[in-house]
Structures are given as structure tokens and as C-alpha cells.
Amino acid sequence: MSSISATRQKQLDYMGLTAGDLKLLADHRPVFKKVVNEVVDHFYNHVGNYPELVDLIARFSTIDRLKETQKMYWLSMTDGIVDDAYIEQRIAIGLVHSRIGLSEDYYLGTYMVYLDIATSIFQQVIPDSWHLVIQALSKMFNLDSQLVLEAYEKKEKEKEKLHQLADDQQHTLQAITQITQELTGMISELNESAMAISNVAKETAASQDQAQVMLTELTGEIQQIGKMGELIREISDQSHLVGLNAAIEAAHAGEFGRGFEVVASEVRKLAASSRDAQGKIQSNLEKIMKKLSSVQQESDHTSRGARSQASRSAELAVFATTMEKLSLDLKNLEQQE
């Protein structure tokens, strides 16, 4: 009994399973081989009297396949070794039987059935030592039954843990449902607000675009006015030159040119007044052009901001729609549970 923990060794000591018992069983391995088929046949003849066991076997295996497994188990009683690996294997086998639905009563009762069959056969095969072999074998069966109970208790703990996890999941889903219901309402309002903001921003951007078009047209018209001012200046300059020439000619004419000189003087005054008016017009046009440039820059800035706002509002609407879908998915998940 090497490679076994102190706790397991204490368990073996308490039940009286010793190295001598293991050696006795190992020494009788030839006898176990000799009667293995008879023992397993007797066992499954007994199992056949219980329809629920027959149905359970049919769902997961076959009698012939299980007979081979039971033969290996019967001979394993004579391996002469009980260590941690042996114990872990027995617990694993117990877990498998628990998961397929074999009750503890049937599982533990199996050891008594085997013991009765072995006693009856060994009394005939080894009449002088059968009681010693049966005593050692009963200790092995007793150990296996304890390990089976451990496996079934472990399975129950797993079930309890799964139930707890399921309860926790249910509570979590209920909390999520409550939150998603509130979130759905908020998202719906957010979606409507986002769409409204997006629409306003688009309308603002469109209005700004129209204003820019009008500003561009107005700028062109003012530029045309500026060109007209330049034309007035040219006419003024030419009028001044004509008046000057007329004054010179009037001086040459003497007394006969006095009336013409008055006209020439008035022409020069008119040209000077036109020049002054054109200068003021030009100055005012320059101021208007500066203001229009500032307005146009501000309009460009407002238009870009409106487009950016419209874009962000559209993204916000998409996000709201995505969140709304997520909340519905969570709600459906809770309903599926």
C-alpha cells in the first residue's frame, strides 16, 4: 500500500485492510481468474430481475460490454495494491454511475450481491481457505463502498453548487431585466432627442449654406458697385480735364468766353464733388467688404459646426439604437431562462 496519503492510510487502518489481506488476495489470483466468468454471469442474471436496471443499462451500454468491465473489476481485487491512484479511479467510476442515474441503493447493494456469489463459489472451489479470502474481499468491497459514497456526496455538492449558480444567474438576470426596462425608456427618449437635434442641425447647416450663397452673391454685387465707382472716378477725371480745357479756351476767347468759363468752372466743381463722393463710396464699400468677409467666415464656422453637430447627433442616434437592441436581447435572454 505505497503512495497513499496519511488520511487514506488511517481509513484503511480503521477498517482493518492490511498488506496481508492484499497479499492473500493476490496469491489467490488464479482462483479468481478461474471463477470470473461464473461470478459475472451470476451477477447479471441477478440484475436481469430488475427491469429498471436493465433499462438503465440499455440507455448507456450493453450487457456484453459491461460483463467485460466487471471481469476486469473482479480481477482488480487481486492486484495487491491500494494507493491514491486506485482510490481516485474508484471515485471517478462512482461519479460516472451517479451521473447516469444509478441510485446509491443499487450501487452499494452490488457489493453484497458479489459477496454472496463469491462466498457460494469459493466454498466449493477452495473449501479450506474460502473464509479467509471472503474476509479480505469483504474489506475491499467495504473500501469501495465508502469511496462510492464519497463520489455520490461529491456529485450532490456539484448539484448544489450548480443550483446556487443558477439561482445567482436568475437573480442577476432579473436585475438586468429591471435595469434594461429603465434603460429602454431612457434610450428611446435619447434616440428621439438625438434625431431631433440631428434634424435641427441639418436644417441649420442647410440655412447656413443658403446664407453663404447669398453672401457670395452680395459680395459680387458690391464688387460690381465698386467697379461702377471706378467708372464714376474716370468720368470725374475726364470731366475735370474737360472743364480745365474749357477754362483755357475761355481765357483765350476773352470777353466772348466769359459765359463758357462759368460753365467750365461748374464742370470742374461737379467733377471734384463726384471725385469726393466716389472716394466716400469706395471707403464705405471697403468697410462693407471687410464686414462681409467677417460674416462669411463666421457663417463658414457655423456651417461646419452645424454639420459636425448633425454628424455627432446621427452617431448618437445609432448608438442609442444599438443600446436599445442590446436591452431587448438581454430581456429575451431573461425570458428564455
Side-chain angles (χ1 to χ4, degrees), residues 16-204:
L17 181 59
T18 65
D21 293 320
L22 297 178
K23 185 176 184 307
L24 176 65
L25 292 173
D27 291 341
H28 284 80
R29 187 177 182 86
V31 179
F32 276 74
K33 281 186 176 182
K34 181 178 179 181
V35 301
V36 61
N37 290 327
E38 186 178 359
V39 169
V40 172
D41 287 341
H42 275 296
F43 174 72
Y44 279 102
N45 287 337
H46 180 73
V47 169
N49 296 322
Y50 298 87
E52 59 271 32
L53 293 179
V54 175
D55 291 341
L56 185 64
I57 290 171
R59 287 203 304 270
F60 296 98
S61 186
T62 63
I63 295 292
D64 291 339
R65 186 181 303 169
L66 289 180
K67 278 186 176 183
E68 295 303 318
T69 302
Q70 289 300 320
K71 288 177 184 179
M72 290 188 291
Y73 172 71
W74 172 257
L75 293 177
S76 71
M77 296 292 101
T78 64
D79 287 342
I81 298 174
V82 174
D83 54 13
D84 286 334
Y86 175 92
I87 291 171
E88 290 174 4
Q89 182 188 36
R90 289 295 188 263
I91 292 175
I93 293 172
L95 285 172
V96 170
H97 285 84
S98 173
R99 286 167 184 153
I100 66 173
L102 181 64
S103 68
E104 294 179 38
D105 294 340
Y106 278 128
Y107 203 149
L108 296 176
T110 295
Y111 296 112
M112 292 306 301
V113 173
Y114 261 130
L115 199 59
D116 287 342
I117 294 172
T119 299
S120 176
I121 293 176
F122 282 156
Q123 282 179 338
Q124 300 176 18
V125 178
I126 46 175
D128 295 332
S129 58
W130 70 267
H131 59 287
L132 297 175
V133 174
I134 291 299
Q135 184 180 19
L137 185 61
S138 66
K139 293 178 183 180
M140 291 292 291
F141 286 156
N142 184 270
L143 172 62
D144 280 4
S145 66
Q146 292 182 33
L147 299 178
V148 166
L149 287 175
E150 286 187 27
Y152 274 68
E153 289 175 2
K154 185 176 181 180
K155 178 62 177 178
E156 287 303 316
K157 289 180 180 178
E158 290 179 356
K159 286 182 179 179
E160 291 178 3
K161 187 175 181 180
L162 288 174
H163 285 312
Q164 184 62 44
L165 289 174
D167 290 340
D168 292 344
Q169 184 184 33
Q170 184 65 26
H171 292 154
T172 301
L173 286 174
Q174 289 175 353
I176 290 174
T177 300
Q178 183 177 357
I179 293 172
T180 52
Q181 288 175 349
E182 298 175 358
L183 185 61
T184 299
M186 295 172 61
I187 288 173
S188 179
E189 294 178 2
L190 177 63
N191 192 18
E192 292 178 1
S193 299
M195 292 302 295
I197 293 172
S198 178
N199 291 335
V200 171
K202 289 178 180 177
E203 291 175 0
T204 303

